[in-house]
Amino acid sequence: MEDDRRPLYAVLGVRPDDTQEAIKKAYRRLALQSHPDRQCQRPAATAGGSADDAAFARLALAYEVLGNAQRRKRYDLTGEVPQSDAALGRRADETFLAEYVRAAPKAARGVTQADMSLHNLANYEVLEVDGRDVPDYMRGIVMQGLSYLVAVVDGMEDREVVLLRHFVMDQMYALLAYAAPLDEGAFAERGYIITYYDHPLQAGIRPSWSDQNGAEHRRDSAGGLDLGRLREID
């Protein structure tokens, strides 16, 4: 059978003739189901948690191969992934981060001094996590914020996530999970935003993402999570 010779398609539950968009949607749906921070009904240290971690890793590998047109073509022809391929060494959370926090469209926007609040998209620049826009240590912080969004935001499979930095308060970062397009409506009406202030804090106070959204905007099952712990930077 085709699934026996090309098992990565079975991992994502897609067919060899499915489109790249179908593969992307399948990965998002399944990765969200098995994401460690979505398992709110289970204690952290159960055997089920280990199974979910393994499933999350298998999905990531399948998507690294099938989500890339060139890797997919090679896999379709040979049924293999070369041992030297970077896809084999990438961590599952890195794959998840790369899928969600992509380079968002950058449009020139005027900056006014009249209103430099944290609640106006025009006051932020769009950053690339994999580029030169942010220091390396911010990757782990962004991963933590993305894990939190996964745990509390409904419909993440259909949302995009963008990393923002305030133009004036340049140590203020924001992660916005939004329904496209990226505009003021996404920021004010169709999005869920959390913020992080990258500044040395007093000893003994752990840095954390801040969530000012009301409980009515969170997933119903998020009530079973320790949200404060999820926001803390490890």
Side-chain angles (χ1 to χ4, degrees):
M1 294 176 60
E2 188 70 30
D3 282 353
D4 295 332
R5 293 186 291 114
R6 303 291 185 269
L8 294 185
Y9 284 100
V11 171
L12 293 178
V14 294
R15 300 186 305 271
D17 59 351
D18 277 342
T19 65
Q20 293 297 123
E21 184 64 21
I23 289 172
K24 171 182 174 177
K25 288 183 177 180
Y27 169 71
R28 285 191 168 205
R29 175 174 51 82
L30 295 171
L32 285 169
Q33 289 175 5
S34 62
H35 193 283
D37 291 311
R38 274 283 178 96
Q39 309 310 313
C40 60
Q41 303 303 322
R42 297 177 177 166
T46 62
S50 298
D52 285 320
D53 290 345
F56 191 60
R58 287 195 300 273
L59 290 166
L61 174 60
Y63 189 59
E64 284 285 350
V65 175
L66 302 182
N68 178 286
Q70 293 189 62
R71 286 190 186 123
R72 182 183 181 185
K73 181 176 181 179
R74 182 173 58 208
Y75 180 73
D76 286 345
L77 291 172
T78 67
E80 298 178 351
V81 181
Q83 293 300 307
S84 60
D85 197 298
L88 296 179
R90 200 170 197 185
R91 290 186 356 224
D93 55 354
E94 289 277 358
T95 299
F96 193 77
L97 177 71
E99 167 56 28
Y100 268 97
V101 189
R102 296 175 178 271
K106 294 189 177 184
R109 297 190 295 268
V111 182
T112 69
Q113 297 298 325
D115 175 17
M116 292 309 299
S117 77
L118 302 179
H119 309 290
N120 189 332
L121 180 62
N123 296 335
Y124 290 87
E125 60 180 319
V126 177
L127 303 179
E128 294 183 26
V129 178
D130 286 328
R132 294 175 293 179
D133 291 341
V134 297
D136 289 342
Y137 70 84
M138 277 295 298
R139 288 183 61 83
I141 294 171
V142 174
M143 280 186 185
Q144 190 71 35
L146 179 58
S147 291
Y148 178 78
L149 291 174
V150 165
V152 303
V153 179
D154 262 329
M156 278 293 289
E157 58 267 33
D158 296 319
R159 292 179 183 252
E160 303 298 330
V161 179
V162 64
L163 178 64
L164 307 167
R165 181 169 58 202
H166 200 271
F167 278 120
V168 174
M169 299 172 60
D170 60 0
Q171 292 174 316
M172 179 62 71
Y173 292 86
L175 267 181
L176 173 66
Y178 69 98
L182 180 59
D183 56 18
E184 190 57 40
F187 197 88
E189 301 166 7
R190 305 190 311 277
Y192 193 104
I193 188 168
I194 57 176
T195 56
Y196 173 73
Y197 189 55
D198 188 33
H199 187 275
L201 299 172
Q202 295 179 356
I205 300 178
R206 298 190 65 175
S208 174
W209 284 94
S210 175
D211 182 356
Q212 300 301 317
N213 301 276
E216 68 274 12
H217 298 295
R218 301 186 189 119
R219 296 173 62 237
D220 291 340
S221 57
L225 291 167
D226 183 348
L227 299 182
R229 181 192 62 78
L230 277 179
R231 291 196 299 269
E232 286 184 352
I233 308 303
D234 296 330

